[in-house]
Amino acid sequence: MFGKCNNEFGHGHNYVVQVTFSGPVDEATGMVTSLSDLDSFAQRELLDVYDHTNLNTLEPFLDRVSTTENLSMELWRVFSAYPHAKLERVRIEETGNNSFDYFGGGAPLLS
Amino acid sequence: MENMILLTRKADFSAAHFYWNPKWSEEENARVFGKCSNRQGHGHNYTLEVTVAGEVDPVSGFVVDLKKLKDILEQEVVSVYDHRHLNFEVAEFAETVPTTENIAIAIWRRLEGKIENATLHRVRVYEMPDLFADFYGEGA
């Protein structure tokens, strides 16, 4: 079923995560949200937890296969907690040839 | 649709083409299509991005098996288009101008219904890094 992905010693990817948020443009700042706030959130909630780890050892993947599909849904849960804008899409590039989009179960954006 | 995911897979092919409408004069073709009307043809390195939509299987964690999707793209598109002259060697362009738009539509028609457990969502064809066309199916 899983081919070379089921090597018990694991394998790695350089994942690229894109998160898309929507919200009104603040009149004073001209911003939807402060990018430095979002950077800090991503550092704390994503990179500090996931970067250079074995995903299979992390709590969300103890009972789920760590496919990029499942990782997309887990990162939706993570980033939907960002308090300053509305999460619209999580995109993860697993390699230069594969990517996955999750919209929280809603309809996909045409983009 | 709680677990609906869009999955995108890329593939590359290189092909030759030219733009020509046989109902028009040589001057009219040159006026409309410019240097693309040179009937000696010219080539591009195309990049194809195929996006499918589907539910994540709770057991495998997959929408579709990426290896199978790669094989379908190879069989249905790359093996037919790669290193071919689209105007002369690919049936759908015998009477249709092989523009990036028409290539996207043709690839959609080649792939529609071929991918198990998922539906075709978008076909994106890059003719060059700064030019691409998207097709979401008839009526979309």
Side-chain angles (χ1 to χ4, degrees), chain B residues 13-17 42-44 46 77-90:
Chain B
F13 59 91
S14 301
H17 71 173
H42 62 276
H44 294 288
Y46 292 94
V77 181
V78 176
S79 69
V80 183
Y81 287 11
D82 189 39
H83 286 71
R84 296 292 176 185
H85 195 303
L86 299 178
N87 299 63
F88 299 128
E89 295 185 281
V90 178

Side-chain angles (χ1 to χ4, degrees), chain B residues 26 72 74:
Chain B
E26 186 148 352
I72 291 169
E74 172 65 30

